[in-house]
Amino acid sequence: MAFIFRIAMQSVGLSLSLLGWVLAIITTYLPHWKNLNLELNEMENWTMGLWKSCVIQEEVGRQCKDFDSFLALPAELQISRILMSLSNGLGLLGLLASGSGLDCLRLGETQKDLKRRLLILGGLLLWTSGVMVLVPVSWVAHMTVEEFWDETLPEIVPRWEFGEALFLGWFAGFCLVLGGCLLHCAACSSPAPPASGRYAVTGLQDHETYLENRTTQPKV
């Protein structure tokens, strides 16, 4: 029963981590971290991501342009680029490590300790990847709120608002963190090796045989 529960925990953790990793990649390249709606021209909307900004017009459609310089970006977008890229790389390594350490795989059945270490390493990498998604998403959201309620700007100046990518990033980070925790807990809750039980039964049988031989021997 404990083995089945551990297998289920590993499967759920790996599935959540895979889902979070895919959503984190989509969040990284989605140009909807910020949205800007112009009150003077309701037919034109602006969106901004980590790599480019886009303008959406009803007559023309979507037109996007990549940022010319990395150094010209605000600090939150610069750090977000780096953290999201590192998160995607760590997530891939975590998936490979934890996938190799699953108990349901017959590969490396004789190396239980190695598979357990791979599972722990994969869980830690995925947890770190989730945190590295939540940090830039929350930072950009914080800066957006501060700029939105900035009283020094005139009211006529349009304000940036939350884009869809921020909510997607929060969900992706939550899935990665939860999946990494489940994989780590499943690895730490491994039972005692089954071989110990066999040796215990064998030792008990040898002890009974020894007692029987002593009782059957005649006394001199």
Side-chain angles (χ1 to χ4, degrees):
M1 186 64 182
F3 178 77
I4 297 177
F5 178 75
R6 192 172 68 257
I7 291 294
M9 185 182 297
Q10 293 177 4
S11 302
V12 173
L14 188 62
S15 300
L16 283 174
S17 301
L18 179 60
L19 175 62
W21 179 68
V22 173
L23 294 180
I25 294 178
I26 296 175
T27 303
T28 304
Y29 298 99
L30 194 66
H32 290 278
W33 283 59
K34 293 182 179 182
N35 292 339
L36 180 64
N37 299 324
L38 300 178
E39 297 181 357
L40 300 178
N41 188 3
E42 297 181 355
M43 300 177 61
E44 182 176 295
N45 297 326
W46 290 78
T47 63
M48 179 186 295
L50 299 180
W51 308 92
K52 58 186 176 181
S53 60
C54 301
V55 56
I56 305 173
Q57 299 174 340
E58 293 187 1
E59 299 179 355
V60 181
R62 179 192 298 270
Q63 294 180 338
C64 297
K65 180 183 178 182
D66 296 335
F67 295 124
D68 296 330
S69 174
F70 173 77
L71 298 177
L73 294 175
E76 65 270 16
L77 294 185
Q78 293 180 2
I79 302 300
S80 296
R81 270 195 189 185
I82 298 173
L83 290 180
M84 293 298 294
S85 300
L86 290 176
S87 172
N88 295 335
L90 288 178
L92 178 59
L93 293 178
L95 289 173
L96 294 176
S98 57
S100 303
L102 294 177
D103 291 339
C104 59
L105 294 180
R106 295 187 177 275
L107 181 64
E109 286 185 344
T110 58
Q111 299 177 340
K112 296 292 185 180
D113 187 61
L114 177 61
K115 294 183 69 174
R116 180 174 175 271
R117 292 181 180 180
L118 286 175
L119 200 61
I120 293 176
L121 176 62
L124 291 176
L125 289 175
L126 291 168
W127 184 88
T128 306
S129 175
V131 173
M132 295 179 71
V133 172
L134 294 174
V135 169
V137 171
S138 301
W139 189 9
V140 172
H142 173 71
M143 296 302 298
T144 303
V145 172
E146 281 194 348
E147 294 174 359
F148 185 86
W149 296 108
D150 190 359
E151 298 180 354
T152 61
L153 295 177
E155 295 183 0
I156 195 174
V157 176
R159 313 295 175 94
W160 289 99
E161 299 182 8
F162 289 174
E164 294 84 356
L166 295 183
F167 300 99
L168 190 64
W170 276 319
F171 184 71
F174 174 76
C175 290
L176 284 169
V177 170
L178 181 59
C181 291
L182 288 177
L183 290 172
H184 189 270
C185 293
C188 294
S189 62
S190 58
S196 61
R198 185 177 72 247
Y199 293 149
V201 173
T202 304
L204 181 60
Q205 292 177 351
D206 294 341
H207 183 66
E208 291 178 352
T209 305
Y210 173 74
L211 292 178
E212 290 177 359
N213 293 334
R214 288 193 61 185
T215 54
T216 55
Q217 291 178 359
K219 295 182 179 180
V220 180

